[in-house]
Amino acid sequence: MDKQQARAAAKCVEHAPGTWINPSSGRTLSESALMARLAHSQVVLLGETHLDPAVHRWQHSVVTALYERRPDMVMGFEMFPRRVQGALDEW
């Protein structure tokens, strides 16, 4: 990690949970503008902590925002067991 990246990472700690930060600049991003941009991306990866319900709510919020903007997008989730595929297909 170079000095600029280290400074940007340190700035992330200064913001409230749920704040979107550009890691290159450390600037706060508007959620609506970011979701519009992500909806046109080829791939969006969302990290997670498996046992943290707050992270799961965040993921749900992001997926919902992306789906509202691009309902034809294909989504893949590694955390769901195959037995729930029918429910995911219906969604």
Side-chain angles (χ1 to χ4, degrees):
M1 180 182 304
D2 66 25
K3 288 182 182 181
Q4 181 181 3
Q5 290 169 326
R7 282 192 301 272
K11 285 184 174 270
C12 289
V13 177
E14 299 171 4
H15 294 85
T19 303
W20 291 97
I21 306 296
N22 181 328
S24 298
S25 67
R27 292 185 179 158
T28 302
L29 301 170
S30 114
E31 183 174 347
S32 62
L34 179 61
M35 291 303 126
R37 181 176 167 193
L38 292 178
H40 296 287
S41 298
Q42 289 273 142
V43 176
V44 176
L45 300 174
L46 303 177
E48 77 166 309
T49 302
H50 285 288
L51 300 177
D52 187 342
V55 172
H56 296 151
R57 286 190 297 275
W58 166 75
Q59 288 174 319
H60 180 265
S61 173
V62 172
V63 167
T64 300
L66 292 175
Y67 182 77
E68 288 173 350
R69 289 164 175 80
R70 189 171 163 195
D72 64 334
M73 87 173 11
V74 175
M75 297 184 192
F77 298 88
E78 57 81 24
M79 76 285 261
F80 293 115
R82 182 168 293 284
R83 64 182 165 73
V84 300
Q85 186 61 49
L88 294 171
D89 291 344
E90 288 179 29
W91 183 74

